[in-house]
Amino acid sequence: MNYNQQGVTLIEIAIVLVIMGLIVGTGLLSGQSLVQGGHAKEVIETASDLIGAVQKFKERYHYFPGDLPDAGDDISNIPVECDYSRLEDPNAGNGVIEAATISSKKSELFCAAIHLYQAGFLKSNPNNEIGGYIRTRFGQIHLISRSDVADQTKIPTTVRNVLEFEGLPFEIAVELDIALDDGNISTGKMLADDTTRTSLADGDVVQIVNYFIVPL
């Protein structure tokens, strides 16, 4: 009988557990990074598609979506609340996507997404979304005038309308800025509120920018 054989020591067990923990932790971080990268790509594609859609709409109809007077004359299946004449909406056609409600009609802000979809420039129907607006997985996107943005002082006065993204995590906002601007959310053409608020998402603490602005 060999009395020199020894069992596994506590130190050896501890080393194995540490190594396993590092492996699992690295795997989780890689998984989170992949998920975040996928979400960022999704938001970037949405922003790019919307910018292109608004440009094409303006080229075709000579007005911004939502600001097009008598939209039903040019676009099929425009709901009555988004088909207004200049008499019903004195601001129709003024080059600004108004957020104010128009008597019995919807606001230009609300109708902008409807105009884009019915003209064939949006893939998903905003009528199926909450409030008729376009959304990312993080929140709504507003096509809105500069003057209706909460902190308009950071937006150049030459800009009349913007895309306003709500609820973007800080990291996603940075990725969006890298893809479309200078990579700094506080400078350049595209701006985010550089102060953040904390939110819980799936049990994780996430830093959320209050808004992300893309000029149109």
Side-chain angles (χ1 to χ4, degrees):
M1 184 177 295
N2 186 356
Y3 292 99
N4 292 325
Q5 289 181 339
Q6 295 180 351
V8 178
T9 67
L10 290 175
I11 293 175
E12 289 169 332
I13 292 173
I15 292 172
V16 170
L17 289 175
V18 169
I19 293 171
M20 289 178 64
L22 289 172
I23 293 171
V24 171
T26 302
L28 287 174
L29 288 173
S30 298
Q32 289 172 351
S33 179
L34 286 172
V35 169
Q36 181 179 305
H39 291 171
K41 182 180 178 183
E42 199 176 88
V43 172
I44 291 165
E45 287 177 352
T46 299
S48 299
D49 288 348
L50 268 175
I51 293 168
V54 171
Q55 288 173 344
K56 290 174 184 175
F57 187 99
K58 199 162 183 285
E59 286 170 7
R60 181 184 295 179
Y61 301 108
H62 310 295
Y63 293 96
F64 279 101
D67 190 46
L68 173 61
D70 298 306
D73 293 348
D74 299 306
I75 306 170
S76 301
N77 301 316
I78 294 291
V80 64
E81 63 266 26
C82 290
D83 184 15
Y84 29 74
S85 67
R86 282 191 169 91
L87 288 175
E88 294 168 312
D89 176 18
N91 292 322
N94 69 350
V96 176
I97 305 172
E98 309 281 352
T101 303
I102 310 160
S103 61
S104 61
K105 305 286 184 174
K106 295 289 187 181
S107 68
E108 293 180 1
L109 162 63
F110 180 95
C111 292
I114 307 295
H115 286 185
L116 279 175
Y117 175 73
Q118 295 302 151
F121 294 120
L122 276 188
K123 297 175 185 176
S124 59
N125 186 351
N127 279 318
N128 297 330
E129 302 289 353
I130 299 171
Y133 299 114
I134 311 161
R135 298 178 62 84
T136 67
R137 66 174 57 244
F138 304 108
Q140 293 180 354
I141 308 171
H142 297 146
L143 283 79
I144 192 171
S145 72
R146 171 190 177 275
S147 60
D148 287 311
V149 175
D151 189 3
Q152 58 183 269
T153 57
K154 294 184 179 180
I155 306 170
T157 55
T158 52
V159 173
R160 304 194 72 185
N161 300 291
V162 301
L163 296 178
E164 182 183 35
F165 288 75
E166 291 185 348
L168 291 184
F170 179 82
E171 290 80 5
I172 301 293
V174 171
E175 291 292 333
L176 183 56
D177 204 283
I178 289 170
L180 301 179
D181 197 18
D182 62 356
N184 186 335
I185 64 170
S186 301
T187 63
K189 294 181 180 179
M190 299 171 193
L191 298 169
D193 188 348
D194 50 13
T195 60
T196 59
R197 56 187 171 85
T198 303
S199 177
L200 283 176
D202 300 324
D204 295 326
V205 176
V206 179
Q207 294 300 115
I208 307 291
V209 296
N210 292 321
Y211 59 77
F212 187 95
I213 298 297
V214 179
L216 292 174

